[in-house]
Amino acid sequence: MAYVKEDHPQFIILDEIQTLLKKYGQVQVEKELGSIGVLLTEQKNPKNKEITLLEAAKHFLEDEFSTYQSISPSSQSSYKSETRSFCKYFGVNIDKNLSTDVLLKEVLTPEKLEAYIQQPDIAEATRRKKAAFLRTFVDSVARDLLSEKKINQLNKRALHLKPPDPQPPRAFTAEQIDYLLNLSRLTRCALRNYTILWTLVGTGIRVDELHFQMGDVNLEKGWIKVKAKGRKERAKVKRFMTKGAIKAMKYYVNFTYSHLKNVLSETDYNRLYVFSDDNGKHALSNRAIQKMVRGLIDKAIEDKVIQDKVWDSDRGEEVKVNYSTHSFRHSFAVYALESGMNIYMIKELLGHKSIGSTEVYLDLFDEQYQKAMDKHPFAQLEIDQLKHLGVDV
């Protein structure tokens, strides 16, 4: 029996290859096929590798198998702008097809790429953006021009930037937590959202540890069992709760699930997910929780209760602070330290494997101390006295 076109292996294989090329780009597909000894295209003659920067840019932006074709529209807009800027730096105008016959291999040197990225008056974030673009650009257009070793050298020498000093984790103040809790009471599923916030700040657990079930809750002893990060097969471990979290959880559980206790078997009741959108059948997703918390934080920023930018003295500029569900975990740790709790006990409460992970909160604790000292009655007195002496404060 003759094949119809749709059933013929030739056309099935071609369709699947086209799908892979559109999704991942020619470079990635060729790389993976090459790793198993299959070549998608013929090896080009090394003698025919003299292409101009303009030709390379056009290939990057227009070739149907280019990596550029597989990225999102917003990323395409950004990469096109970066391509334009890079070419312009070397006297090539891609919009008007104006070229000074600059060869691609002439600009792909560590010295020239580094000079481009390290131009004066460019912000650090912009340098990183340019370096990220060039890593993709070089990988896309220079595979037939440069050896794998040469491309790796460019990436390491010129296109690798030291990561900035990480911002310390940011905790909410007690006033900010109170404000967020009050805001949560105005949302859809207010009681559930209110209890989620109390659970986060009253246990220090991570957002993906909120997927516990009724059988994991022991309100009499004040703990819940969660699938802990880094444990074998995510084994369940105890996380203790503050009195406020216990009280909120008890009210929520009674209000939400008490009517099911006499309807379901004990086994089925214990399998219900505490935080759910369908009466306990499935756990509320991380994304849904993060979206809810993000909305509350954005509202608090809009109301000027939370400031999302802080001054970074190391960088000499304001930096954006990304508050999130994890900020409740930071808050739990900071205020545990403030209450005088031993750092090793906090390590166990947070489920850290290493004390080093917990010690990062000591920096935040120092910051809390400094803020408290600045509010000390003698602080203003000292400033006034120094002003009398003519000291610039």
Side-chain angles (χ1 to χ4, degrees), residues 15 18 33 35 59 78 97 100 123 134 149 274 283 336 346 357 384:
D15 285 344
Q18 289 290 346
L33 288 175
S35 69
H59 174 81
S78 174
N97 286 329
T100 54
L134 284 173
K149 182 178 179 181
V274 175
I346 296 172
S357 299
D384 292 340

Side-chain angles (χ1 to χ4, degrees), residues 9-10 14 27 44 49 58 74 125 163 169 171 177 210 221 237 246 258 279-280 286-287 299 320 322 340 355 382:
Q10 175 186 350
L14 284 174
V27 172
K44 295 181 178 61
K49 293 180 180 178
K58 290 293 183 183
S74 60
I177 290 173
L210 282 169
K221 294 186 177 180
V237 298
I246 294 171
S258 60
N279 296 316
N286 291 349
R287 186 184 180 115
K299 177 63 174 144
K320 189 173 178 62
N322 294 315
I355 191 65
E382 289 172 331

Side-chain angles (χ1 to χ4, degrees), residues 84-92 112 115-116 119:
R84 184 182 290 112
S85 297
F86 181 64
C87 291
K88 184 179 179 181
Y89 180 81
F90 293 101
V92 175
K112 290 189 177 180
Y116 173 70
Q119 295 174 73

Side-chain angles (χ1 to χ4, degrees), residues 126-141:
T126 304
R127 295 188 204 284
R128 297 185 184 286
K129 183 179 176 183
K130 290 184 178 301
F133 156 72
L134 284 173
R135 285 193 291 271
T136 301
F137 180 76
V138 170
D139 190 71
S140 298
V141 302

Side-chain angles (χ1 to χ4, degrees), residues 56-222:
K58 290 293 183 183
H59 174 81
F60 177 70
L61 296 174
E62 298 172 4
D63 189 272
E64 63 176 314
F65 298 132
S66 168
T67 304
Y68 177 83
Q69 302 299 335
S70 64
I71 59 180
S72 67
S74 60
S75 295
Q76 284 184 341
S77 176
S78 174
Y79 273 26
K80 187 168 186 177
S81 175
E82 288 296 337
T83 305
R84 184 182 290 112
S85 297
F86 181 64
C87 291
K88 184 179 179 181
Y89 180 81
F90 293 101
V92 175
N93 188 322
I94 64 172
D95 297 310
K96 297 182 179 180
N97 286 329
L98 294 179
S99 173
T100 54
D101 294 327
V102 177
L103 293 177
L104 179 62
K105 70 176 185 179
E106 292 176 354
V107 303
L108 295 187
T109 67
E111 295 76 20
K112 290 189 177 180
L113 292 183
E114 189 171 6
Y116 173 70
I117 292 173
Q118 299 297 338
Q119 295 174 73
D121 303 325
I122 291 182
E124 188 63 27
T126 304
R127 295 188 204 284
R128 297 185 184 286
K129 183 179 176 183
K130 290 184 178 301
F133 156 72
L134 284 173
R135 285 193 291 271
T136 301
F137 180 76
V138 170
D139 190 71
S140 298
V141 302
R143 284 287 168 187
D144 295 321
L145 179 68
L146 304 174
S147 66
E148 188 80 27
K149 182 178 179 181
K150 183 73 172 179
I151 291 175
N152 289 337
Q153 286 178 342
L154 287 178
N155 287 335
K156 288 179 181 178
R157 287 182 57 188
L159 303 179
H160 177 74
L161 301 178
K162 277 184 64 178
D165 294 334
Q167 281 290 306
R170 287 281 162 182
F172 296 118
T173 65
E175 293 79 9
Q176 289 168 344
I177 290 173
D178 185 58
Y179 196 80
L180 291 168
L181 284 166
N182 286 328
L183 284 178
S184 72
R185 296 164 70 177
L186 304 175
T187 61
R188 185 181 77 84
C189 302
L191 180 57
R192 185 197 65 192
N193 294 343
Y194 177 78
T195 309
I196 286 174
L197 261 59
W198 258 117
T199 305
L200 288 170
V201 78
T203 63
I205 64 175
R206 302 172 178 88
V207 67
D208 62 349
E209 294 173 345
L210 282 169
H211 304 158
F212 52 86
Q213 297 163 291
M214 291 300 302
D216 299 320
V217 180
N218 189 325
L219 294 175
E220 298 307 314
K221 294 186 177 180

